[in-house]
Every structure is written in structure tokens, then in C-alpha cells.
């Protein structure tokens, strides 16, 4: 099926079909929908290689995520994929686990013009190696922030969010507020732990560092916090997955949540609404983080000489039954 047949079926010119395929924002939504419907009906498959040779763009974005099993990453990727499609792009997803040797193979796609730009969700200590591999190619760091590299970034104020979480628990009357922290290779872990310590000041503190972000790691960290003589009456975890493990530990030990111990998470992933009790958490704008990542990346693809942009998105405390 040719582009001419698609144009005939949609009742538009071949130039309009081409603009839709190339993600041109000047096409009216109603016209774009007609063209996409015609493409679907015809099962038209554009010649991507020919288009790349004409436009010098592959219409592919490389997305490096630290863990695809992390519900937060999955939420961000949904936003990335949706906005990429709106821009006429597809994504190539790499589960990197923040390991440079895995990422280097994918980043070779930049030099081969197989992808036009990169979105990363890597640990901050990976960035020196990444900037060497990526060079001057368009690059956005999502969810982790930026510290002067040649990349735009989009994240939230993790320090302020952690401070607000601890203040919320304090205002609820909790005295012994502990924290389940995480891998300090990640800037968000550093910032959330620093926010916890700043908010607690001279008050009682206890920090258990989880080995990973999985549910079981939260369970083990909660067990560590309750192994001492002085038990916490509230626990703030740096992710909802870890908080879920903490809730499981509390239920197993017959602890009433939030009467015996409150549990608060971070991220706002969907499963937090259906835990027992529902999880109080810091709600991150996961979908919007993904959307803005693509928009910031497209700005640099369209204008490679533009300066990097560091963007901070809003967050909120989602008050539920666990704290």
C-alpha cells in the first residue's frame, strides 16, 4: 500500500500524510486522526530507512531506565511513550540497571544515527561515563536531576518533599520517625535522606538502608528498624515499593497501621491505593515527568545549540490511611 492510496482514502494530499508521519505539529487534530485511521485501515508501513535518509532523522528515541520492574519507572515510561508518539517518534527501551557496560552497546546507536536522542534515568555516579559516551548528542536526564552535564533534566525537589513528609508525620503526633533509605549512588536517595535528617534535626533518628527497591528489601529494612530496643512509631520509605514491604512486615508482626506504627512512602504508584491500609505517600507526577522528558529532548533535537534546561515539577502529599 502506497502513501498515495492513504492520501486518497483520507481525502488529503500526500504532503499532509507525510507531515503526519513525520510528526509535524502543524497538522490539525481532526486531519491527523483521519490520516491515522486511513493508515490503520490500509495497514500502511512507511519505509523508515528512506525517510531517515531524506530527513536525517531516525524518529527513534533511546530510553535507558534503571529498572523496568520499578513501578515508578514504568509510570514515567508510559508518559515518554505517549508523548513520543504524539511527536511522531518511537522509543527503544533499555533496562540498564545503571551499568555502563550495558548502556555503551545501546549508545553506539547514536553514532549510527539509529536514534536521534537519549532519555536516561541513571544513578548520578553514572553521569560522567554517560557524558563521555553520549558526547554532544541530545540528552535528557529524567527523575534524577542534573549537576552541570550537557543534558537537560526534569525532576522534583526531592529534599523539600522529604522535609514535608517528615513534617506531616510530626504534625500527626509521631515522635520516633525512622527512615528506610536506599542506594546513595542515586541523587534522589541522597536528597531524600538529607531532607529526612534536616527535618528531624536533634530529634530521634534511625535509618535503615534497603538493598534495592524491591518489596522484600523494604521488609528486611523494616525488620532492621524493629530489631533495636527503641522501636519507631512511624517509618518513612523512599519508595512505595519499600513501603509496601514495610507494611507486610507490620502485618506479620501484628502491628496495627497506623496506630502502632505509621508507614509513609514516596512516588505515588497505583498499588499504593489498594494496600491495607491505603498508603500515604509523596505523589510524584510520573506521567508528566515522562512527557516533559520528551518535550525537552525534542527542543534539543530541533536546536542542538540550545542550552540545557533543568526543570522542577510539583509534587504533593497523598493522604491515605497508613499515616
Amino acid at each position: 500500500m502506497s502513501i498515495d492510496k492513504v492520501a486518497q482514502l483520507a481525502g488529503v494530499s500526500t504532503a499532509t500524510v507525510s507531515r503526519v508521519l513525520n510528526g509535524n505539529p502543524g497538522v490539525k487534530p481532526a486531519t491527523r486522526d483521519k490520516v491515522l485511521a486511513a493508515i490503520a485501515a490500509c495497514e500502511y508501513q512507511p519505509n523508515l530507512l528512506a525517510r531517515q535518509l531524506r530527513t536525517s532523522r531516525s524518529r527513534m528515541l533511546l530510553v535507558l531506565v534503571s529498572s523496568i520492574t520499578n513501578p515508578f519507572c514504568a509510570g514515567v515510561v508510559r508518559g515518554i511513550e505517549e508523548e513520543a508518539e504524539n511527536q511522531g517518534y518511537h522509543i527503544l527501551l533499555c533496562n540498564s540497571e545503571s551499568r555502563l557496560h550495558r548502556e555503551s552497546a545501546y549508545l553506539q546507536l547514536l553514532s549510527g544515527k539509529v536514534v536521534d536522542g537519549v532519555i536516561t534515568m541513571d544513578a548520578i555516579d553514572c553521569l560522567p561515563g554517560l557524558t563521555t559516551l553520549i558526547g554532544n548528542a541530545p540528552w535528557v536526564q529524567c527523575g534524577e536531576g542534573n549537576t552541570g552535564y550537557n543534558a537537560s533534566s526534569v525532576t522534583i525537589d526531592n529534599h523539600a518533599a522529604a522535609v514535608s513528609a517528615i513534617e506531616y508525620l510530626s504534625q500527626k503526633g509521631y515522635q520516633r520517625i525512622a527512615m528506610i533509605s536506599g542506594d546513595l549512588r542515586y541523587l534522589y536517595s541522597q536528597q531524600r535522606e538529607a531532607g529526612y535528617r534536616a527535618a528531624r534535626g536533634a530529634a530521634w533518628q534511625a535509618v535503615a538502608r534497603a538493598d534495592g527497591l524491591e518489596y522484600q528489601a523494604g521488609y528486611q529494612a523494616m525488620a532492621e528498624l524493629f530489631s533495636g530496643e527503641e522501636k519507631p512509631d512511624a517509618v518513612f520509605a523512599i519508595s512505595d515499593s519499600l513501603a509496601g514491604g514495610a507494611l507486610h512486615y507490620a502485618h506479620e508482626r501484628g502491628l496495627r497501621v497506623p496506630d502502632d506504627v505509621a508507614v509513609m512512602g514516596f512516588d505515588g504508584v497505583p498499588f499504593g491505593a489498594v494496600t491495607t491500609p491505603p498508603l500515604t505517600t509523596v505523589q510524584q507526577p510520573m506521567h508528566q515527568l515522562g512527557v516533559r522528558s520528551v518535550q525537552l529532548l525534542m527542543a534539543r533535537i530541533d536546536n542542538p545549540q540550545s542550552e540545557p534546561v533543568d526543570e522542577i515539577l510539583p509534587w504533593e502529599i497523598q493522604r491515605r490511611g497508613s499515616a
Side-chain angles (χ1 to χ4, degrees):
M1 183 61 65
S2 69
I3 192 171
D4 296 321
K5 294 293 185 182
V6 172
Q8 182 179 354
L9 182 60
V12 299
S13 68
T14 55
T16 297
V17 175
S18 179
R19 283 195 292 271
V20 171
L21 290 170
N22 289 320
N24 190 309
V27 181
K28 293 180 180 179
T31 302
R32 180 176 179 273
D33 290 344
K34 282 199 304 182
V35 171
L36 292 176
I39 289 171
C42 295
E43 298 183 352
Y44 172 67
Q45 297 292 326
N47 187 326
L48 297 179
L49 179 58
R51 188 198 309 168
Q52 180 180 343
L53 292 173
R54 289 195 306 271
T55 65
S56 298
R57 290 192 182 184
S58 68
R59 295 283 167 182
M60 291 286 292
L61 304 177
L62 177 62
V63 181
L64 304 176
V65 299
S66 53
S67 174
I68 196 59
T69 61
N70 183 344
F72 168 75
C73 291
V76 174
V77 168
R78 280 193 289 272
I80 291 173
E81 190 167 32
E82 180 180 299
E83 182 60 20
E85 183 178 344
N86 288 340
Q87 300 273 3
Y89 271 75
H90 298 284
I91 68 169
L92 178 61
L93 187 63
C94 168
N95 186 41
S96 71
E97 298 180 352
S98 290
R99 297 179 181 176
L100 281 175
H101 74 275
R102 298 187 69 173
E103 294 170 329
S104 63
Y106 282 90
L107 288 169
Q108 290 176 16
L109 300 174
L110 280 169
S111 60
K113 286 292 185 180
V114 178
V115 296
D116 293 330
V118 186
I119 297 172
T120 61
M121 298 179 68
D122 279 273
I124 197 71
D125 71 350
C126 287
L127 296 194
L130 277 176
T131 197
T132 299
L133 291 168
I134 294 174
N136 293 322
W139 173 25
V140 171
Q141 173 79 343
C142 176
E144 180 69 345
N146 193 356
T147 55
Y149 294 95
N150 186 32
S152 292
S153 69
V154 57
T155 184
I156 68 165
D157 189 334
N158 287 287
H159 186 279
V163 168
S164 290
I166 301 308
E167 289 176 346
Y168 168 82
L169 292 171
S170 297
Q171 290 164 6
K172 297 279 282 187
Y174 298 105
Q175 301 289 319
R176 298 181 306 281
I177 303 173
M179 181 182 194
I180 297 177
S181 189
D183 188 345
L184 293 183
R185 293 186 307 143
Y186 289 90
L187 185 60
Y188 73 81
S189 284
Q190 299 173 29
Q191 293 170 336
R192 293 174 198 177
E193 185 171 326
Y196 164 80
R197 295 191 184 280
R200 293 302 289 160
W204 186 91
Q205 296 184 30
V207 175
R209 200 167 312 286
D211 182 18
L213 291 175
E214 293 78 15
Y215 186 88
Q216 186 62 27
Y219 180 98
Q220 295 295 337
M222 189 72 160
E224 179 183 333
L225 290 172
F226 274 82
S227 65
E229 291 185 7
E230 197 167 14
K231 313 291 196 261
D233 61 4
V235 174
F236 168 58
I238 65 161
S239 81
D240 289 344
S241 298
L242 293 174
L247 280 175
H248 183 58
Y249 177 90
H251 293 323
E252 268 198 358
R253 296 301 186 274
L255 298 170
R256 296 168 302 162
V257 179
D259 296 333
D260 297 326
V261 60
V263 177
M264 186 170 183
F266 204 114
D267 287 337
V269 301
F271 79 76
V274 295
T275 57
T276 305
L279 183 64
T280 295
T281 187
V282 175
Q283 179 75 54
Q284 290 208 69
M286 292 174 284
H287 187 270
Q288 189 62 14
L289 283 166
V291 169
R292 288 300 295 149
S293 293
V294 174
Q295 292 171 347
L296 290 172
L297 185 59
M298 292 307 304
R300 300 212 74 195
I301 290 172
D302 291 339
N303 184 7
Q305 305 307 315
S306 62
E307 291 295 318
V309 174
D310 296 322
E311 188 166 317
I312 305 295
L313 297 186
W315 50 269
E316 62 180 0
I317 291 179
Q318 182 68 254
R319 294 165 174 82
R320 297 194 183 113
S322 70

